[in-house]
């Protein structure tokens, strides 16, 4: 798990981990498994929504 995911609030820790892994993978395209891109994008989108909701509810 990335450093950012380790320090994320418990309510969104796994979602931040999903997002961090996605960013790490696209930063180094040689690590991408293109057969799973649709699945990864969907997971990233779902995680992003939850993190955005958490932020707007708890941090604004």
């Amino acid at each position: 798990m990335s450093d950012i995911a380790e320090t994320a609030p418990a309510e969104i820790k796994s979602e931040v981990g999903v997002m961090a892994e996605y960013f790490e993978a696209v930063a180094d395209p040689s690590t991408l498994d293109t057969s799973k891109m649709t699945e990864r994008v969907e997971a990233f989108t779902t995680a992003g929504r939850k993190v955005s909701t958490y932020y707007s509810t708890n941090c604004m």
Side-chain angles (χ1 to χ4, degrees):
M1 185 175 291
S2 72
D3 290 342
I4 193 167
E6 290 175 11
T7 60
E11 300 90 343
I12 56 170
K13 188 176 290 288
S14 65
E15 288 78 11
V16 172
V18 166
M19 295 175 74
E21 288 174 6
Y22 179 85
F23 284 127
E24 290 167 2
V26 297
D28 182 2
S30 68
T31 66
L32 290 175
D33 178 354
T34 56
S35 68
K36 295 182 180 182
M37 278 307 292
T38 299
E39 179 182 315
R40 289 189 88 162
V41 169
E42 289 172 354
F44 176 84
T45 302
T46 300
R49 283 190 191 116
K50 187 167 181 183
V51 170
S52 295
T53 299
Y54 177 87
Y55 177 78
S56 65
T57 301
N58 298 289
C59 302
M60 294 180 79

